[in-house]
Amino acid sequence: MPAKSSAPSEKPEPSEPPHYHGHRERLRERFYNAGADALSDYELLEMALFPALPRRDTKPLAKTLIKTFGSFAEVIHAPVARLREVDGVGEAAINQLKLIAAAASRVTKGEVKSRNALSSWNEVIDYCRSSMAFADKEQFRLLFLDKRNQLIADEVQQTGTVDHTPVYPREVIKRALELSATALILVHNHPTTPISITLDHARYH
């Protein structure tokens, strides 16, 4: 008797791409065509998390982060310990967020250095806000200026607890002399009150 021919094996149906792939492409297209202003904070955060979470829908996590911390800026500057408390946030996501925060700070410093001077208190506040407004510990920061109010250096002199940091005037003056600075802006933040910064200005000869 002739041998029975085996039934041809069925080819597995190609699996459909995850539903969020199309959403990612639409989001990228809107970003490239209309610019960042066309995206809300959570949508921009979604895109920022794409490289860290390539196989996950980042929309729910982005919305959770915005709800938890308040804004895009507050998310990327949030303390690492607080970020780890959010369900779904792993080390890859934290590294990505902190990379964006570092890039934003570097860009702001570059913009200040490229300008002739810090010409108004609003400019000083905006500059400091990008670096320290969301820090989880109190910082005592020094901005050293020349006679034309150009920024010579921006240094964190001390870091303390959530509500206290020590200040040593002798160290402040010593550093100012080393840099030949003619003016100082002394800055400290208030971690218990987000985006709260206190400024003091001193000029000497």
Side-chain angles (χ1 to χ4, degrees):
M1 293 179 64
K4 292 182 180 180
S5 60
S6 58
S9 59
E10 294 184 359
K11 293 182 179 180
E13 295 183 2
S15 59
E16 294 184 359
H19 68 89
Y20 55 82
H21 278 199
H23 172 67
R24 286 190 175 195
E25 291 306 315
R26 289 190 295 272
L27 202 57
R28 287 190 182 103
E29 185 177 349
R30 185 147 55 95
F31 174 76
Y32 294 133
N33 292 336
D37 289 342
L39 274 61
S40 64
D41 270 13
Y42 86 81
E43 289 173 322
L44 198 61
L45 192 56
E46 276 188 74
M47 290 193 67
L49 291 169
F50 285 172
L53 303 169
R55 296 179 179 85
R56 275 183 54 190
D57 182 2
T58 58
K59 183 176 181 178
L61 180 57
K63 285 189 171 183
T64 298
L65 287 167
I66 295 295
K67 183 178 180 181
T68 302
F69 297 104
S71 69
F72 184 92
E74 287 170 293
V75 170
I76 65 172
H77 289 289
V80 170
R82 291 281 313 281
L83 288 170
R84 288 197 178 108
E85 294 172 359
V86 178
D87 188 32
V89 175
E91 293 306 309
I94 290 173
N95 288 339
Q96 180 71 5
L97 295 174
K98 291 307 171 186
L99 174 63
I100 295 169
S105 177
R106 188 70 60 88
V107 168
T108 302
K109 289 182 178 180
E111 288 175 346
V112 168
K113 289 180 180 178
S114 69
R115 290 199 298 260
N116 289 331
L118 287 168
S119 57
S120 71
W121 282 114
N122 285 338
E123 287 184 0
V124 174
I125 291 172
D126 288 343
Y127 173 76
C128 294
R129 185 173 291 168
S130 70
S131 300
M132 63 188 297
F134 304 102
D136 58 336
K137 292 183 179 179
E138 189 154 338
Q139 295 179 1
F140 181 69
R141 200 179 199 98
L142 299 172
L143 306 184
F144 299 92
L145 309 176
D146 64 14
K147 62 183 179 182
R148 293 177 293 176
N149 284 339
Q150 292 179 323
L151 184 67
I152 299 172
D154 169 8
E155 299 178 356
V156 176
Q157 206 243 3
Q158 293 290 337
T159 300
T161 62
V162 294
D163 59 1
H164 172 75
T165 185
V167 178
Y168 302 102
R170 181 178 298 177
E171 294 299 318
V172 173
I173 298 302
K174 177 183 176 183
R175 185 60 177 151
L177 293 172
E178 289 173 351
L179 293 170
S180 299
T182 58
L184 290 172
I185 297 177
L186 286 61
V187 190
H188 72 90
N189 60 324
H190 303 276
T192 54
T193 308
I195 321 183
S196 178
I197 294 174
T198 300
L199 304 175
D200 293 299
H201 179 265
R203 182 173 291 277
Y204 62 94
H205 299 283

